[in-house]
Amino acid sequence: MFFQLAGGAVMAVGIWTIVEKSDYISLLSSKIYAVSAYILIVAGVIVMVTGVLGCCATFKEQRRLLRVYFVLLLCVFLLEILAGVLAYIYYQQLNEELKENLRETMVQKYHQPEQEHVTKAVDKLQQEFKCCGSNNSSDWAESVWIRFGNAEQRVVPDSCCKSPVIQFCGQRDHPSNIYKVEGGCISKLGNFILNHLQIIGAVGVGIACVQVS
């Protein structure tokens, strides 16, 4: 019963990580964040299957089933440790990755052909975290979308606005209208992902240690 609960907890954390903020994964050059979460999902499924197998093996007293049970248990332990280690490694390099790539992604891909997923992610990011641009709102002056006249006189995207329901509100970049003094999105997205990585790492290593004990 404990294994099923542990497996459900591990799988839930992995699914929550992927579903809750899946849009932001497209803004990251590295896939470690997503891979760590998928590993937890796989480990959770194996844990639940292993729990059922262990009960059957014990009840029927079949040595072959018990061997399979212990092999699966070892696989689960290794997967959970791997997810925790990957989360820790990515935790160390995340800030540098965001500094190098987030601004480039926003100014080069926003509202560009076949980059709808990036556009959606950027708009969601700016609205949810109440930020504008990578470092600040002036980053948008370098945007391909704005420089080549496709923004319809906007100086920032409408998602920078405090009231984005007003169409073309991005034409005015006064602090009363956009998230100008609140800062850029790098630090806010970084803090969010770091918190998620801490949870992934803690759950992966923590439950693996509990299972072994």
Side-chain angles (χ1 to χ4, degrees), residues 26-198:
S26 63
L27 300 178
L28 304 173
S29 61
S30 172
K31 301 301 179 186
I32 296 178
Y33 177 60
V35 168
S36 299
Y38 282 120
I39 288 174
L40 283 186
I41 294 173
V42 172
V45 171
I46 297 176
V47 167
M48 298 178 78
V49 172
T50 302
V52 174
L53 189 63
C55 291
C56 293
T58 304
F59 181 73
K60 295 183 178 181
E61 297 182 352
Q62 292 188 12
R63 291 185 178 180
R64 188 172 296 175
L65 279 178
L66 282 172
R67 289 194 194 100
V68 174
Y69 168 72
F70 284 116
V71 169
L72 287 175
L73 198 60
L74 177 62
C75 290
V76 168
F77 174 75
L78 293 176
L79 281 173
E80 289 172 344
I81 290 294
L82 177 60
V85 170
L86 283 176
Y88 177 77
I89 291 172
Y90 191 45
Y91 181 95
Q92 303 301 311
Q93 69 182 54
L94 177 64
N95 283 330
E96 286 305 313
E97 179 187 324
L98 285 176
K99 288 176 184 176
E100 290 177 10
N101 297 297
L102 184 59
R103 184 179 183 278
E104 190 71 12
T105 297
M106 292 173 82
V107 300
Q108 295 294 331
K109 296 183 179 181
Y110 187 78
H111 264 303
Q112 297 306 299
E114 300 180 5
Q115 298 294 337
E116 291 82 3
H117 61 294
V118 172
T119 301
K120 180 183 176 184
V122 170
D123 285 338
K124 182 177 179 180
L125 173 67
Q126 294 191 141
Q127 273 298 294
E128 186 162 336
F129 292 113
K130 295 179 170 51
C131 56
C132 185
S134 178
N135 297 294
N136 53 61
S137 59
S138 63
D139 289 338
W140 285 110
E142 300 298 318
S143 167
V144 172
W145 174 60
I146 289 174
R147 285 193 295 116
F148 287 92
N150 299 317
E152 300 181 270
Q153 298 184 328
R154 291 179 179 88
V155 289
V156 295
D158 289 346
S159 57
C160 282
C161 299
K162 297 177 179 179
S163 299
V165 292
I166 302 174
Q167 193 175 19
F168 301 115
C169 61
Q171 292 176 346
R172 191 170 70 92
D173 63 350
H174 191 272
S176 64
N177 184 53
I178 69 166
Y179 296 116
K180 191 165 188 173
V181 297
E182 287 81 357
C185 299
I186 281 182
S187 59
K188 296 185 178 183
L189 178 60
N191 289 336
F192 164 79
I193 295 178
L194 288 177
N195 290 335
H196 269 230
L197 288 173
Q198 287 175 334

Side-chain angles (χ1 to χ4, degrees), residues 2-12 40 43-45 47-48 207 211:
F2 170 75
F3 276 175
Q4 276 87 348
L5 291 175
V10 170
M11 189 166 58
L40 283 186
V45 171
V47 167
M48 298 178 78
I207 292 185
Q211 287 170 341

